[in-house]
Amino acid sequence: MTVGSEGRHDTAAPTGTPTRIMVGVDGSSAGQAALLAAQAEAAATGLHVLAVHVRRGLTPLEALGSGFAGLAGACWLNCRDDAELSAWLDCVQMLDAAGLPWTFLVREGQPAEQLRAVAAELPVRSIYLAARSRPWWRRGLHHCPARALSRRARCPVRVVSYSGG
């Protein structure tokens, strides 16, 4: 796991003194790595941790709601709910155990855009996100929210490179 700062930052920041460290969580082992890095900064600074889980919107298949499409949509919604629950449980296990103040927020939409919107609304000191290490030929095939957010956020984005399973 490697933590680095990336991207350009707008000079205009949300009003107020940053009182939060934001971390994108998704219930995966990569999300746990980002949460662990955010936990370390929160423990050192005494700041509140804002864990944000972004659920993408319904696909046309999920929206059909009948026959096989309805069954496939229901299965996908269950997987989406399981990821949200896993992300919340990661926060409980890591942040509660460390005695840190934290909040869990769920948004719906595209991850990079929703995380940027939350950071624009609230005074956030930094944002932690995980990015899986991928071979060069796979990087072009995968849209990485961490890289997209690091180009547009108003505060430092700490990208946690994660190569685990």
Side-chain angles (χ1 to χ4, degrees):
M1 172 176 78
T2 314
V3 179
S5 233
E6 288 203 5
R8 301 180 305 260
H9 309 295
D10 296 342
T11 54
T15 57
T17 304
T19 59
R20 296 170 187 85
I21 296 167
M22 191 168 92
V23 58
V25 293
D26 62 359
S28 70
S29 51
Q32 290 172 351
L35 189 58
L36 186 62
Q39 175 188 356
E41 183 179 345
T45 61
L47 294 177
H48 186 94
V49 177
L50 175 62
V52 181
H53 176 75
V54 180
R55 298 168 53 147
R56 67 166 185 76
L58 292 174
T59 65
L61 181 65
E62 295 164 352
L64 285 175
S66 63
F68 178 73
L71 178 60
C75 291
W76 179 248
L77 289 174
N78 284 339
C79 290
R80 197 171 74 160
D81 291 344
D82 288 347
E84 184 178 322
L85 178 60
S86 293
W88 180 79
L89 286 173
D90 290 342
C91 293
V92 169
Q93 292 171 340
M94 297 172 101
L95 301 174
D96 270 358
L100 296 171
W102 62 281
T103 304
F104 189 79
L105 176 66
V106 178
R107 286 284 184 95
E108 194 151 331
Q110 294 299 318
E113 286 304 310
Q114 290 301 316
L115 292 169
R116 187 193 59 72
V118 170
E121 293 168 11
L122 303 169
V124 174
R125 177 180 169 146
S126 58
I127 303 171
Y128 282 85
L129 288 173
R132 291 189 188 277
S133 299
R134 292 180 176 3
W136 66 268
W137 58 272
R138 285 186 60 195
R139 280 185 220 133
L141 300 174
H142 177 74
H143 173 72
C144 180
R147 307 282 184 233
L149 181 62
S150 68
R151 290 188 292 272
R152 299 189 62 213
R154 293 182 175 193
C155 63
V157 176
R158 312 253 191 257
V159 179
V160 179
S161 294
Y162 182 76
S163 59

